[in-house]
Amino acid sequence: GFSYVKCNVIFNPKEPKFSVTNAFLTQFNYTTTDQTLNFNLAFNITITNPNKRVDIEYHDIEVTAMYEDKTFALVRSGGRVTHFYKGHENTTVLQNLHVQGKRLVKFGEAELRKFKSQTNAGIYGIDLQLAL
């Protein structure tokens, strides 16, 4: 217990901050006849370590793209960023992460109405989930 308190007082660790920048959605079409979502999404992820005394080491990064709580794409850093080290008070930008393809996605009537509405507006609510 004492070492835990000592580490927290000395190091005062903070969670790293993540943000998606420069996201480009060049294709996002849904075909109702075969329930297929066609997509082409490119983006950058900025990772900031705000800690003054704590460094962070990452092994493999996985990004899941979701629309209306339905997973439609998965990208792994694979050979590009399998392992990297973030020094204290440091920022790294992972550039040109990309998901493209088509996926079977079953939308209910309400989800389909929302998709059509967002298509008309040209703005979609896509969530990206990171696993590190």
Side-chain angles (χ1 to χ4, degrees), residues 1 16 27 31 39 44-45 51 60 64 84-86 118 122 132:
Q27 181 182 24
T31 308
F39 54 91
N44 299 336
I45 296 177
N51 294 292
D60 206 16
T64 304
F84 71 97
Y85 172 81
K86 291 218 39 64
Q118 290 181 352
L132 305 161

Side-chain angles (χ1 to χ4, degrees), residues 28-121:
F28 204 61
N29 306 319
Y30 185 73
T31 308
T32 56
T33 54
D34 61 358
Q35 297 178 324
T36 302
L37 182 66
N38 296 292
F39 54 91
N40 188 350
L41 173 65
F43 53 93
N44 299 336
I45 296 177
T46 301
I47 305 171
T48 302
N49 178 4
N51 294 292
K52 293 181 181 180
R53 296 184 182 109
V54 177
D55 298 338
I56 301 171
E57 189 173 350
Y58 296 99
H59 296 272
D60 206 16
I61 297 172
E62 183 177 285
V63 180
T64 304
M66 295 173 289
Y67 178 78
E68 292 297 308
D69 295 326
K70 295 182 185 336
T71 299
F72 69 86
L74 176 69
V75 63
R76 290 190 175 104
S77 59
R80 287 186 15 175
V81 188
T82 55
H83 173 256
F84 71 97
Y85 172 81
K86 291 218 39 64
H88 55 277
E89 295 182 317
N90 188 306
T91 298
T92 299
V93 179
L94 303 177
Q95 296 183 341
N96 301 320
L97 297 173
H98 189 253
V99 290
Q100 178 181 4
K102 64 181 180 177
R103 180 88 179 238
L104 176 68
V105 178
K106 295 184 179 185
F107 287 147
E109 287 185 36
E111 294 165 324
L112 193 53
R113 278 194 303 273
K114 187 172 183 179
F115 181 83
K116 288 178 181 179
S117 172
Q118 290 181 352
T119 299
N120 291 335

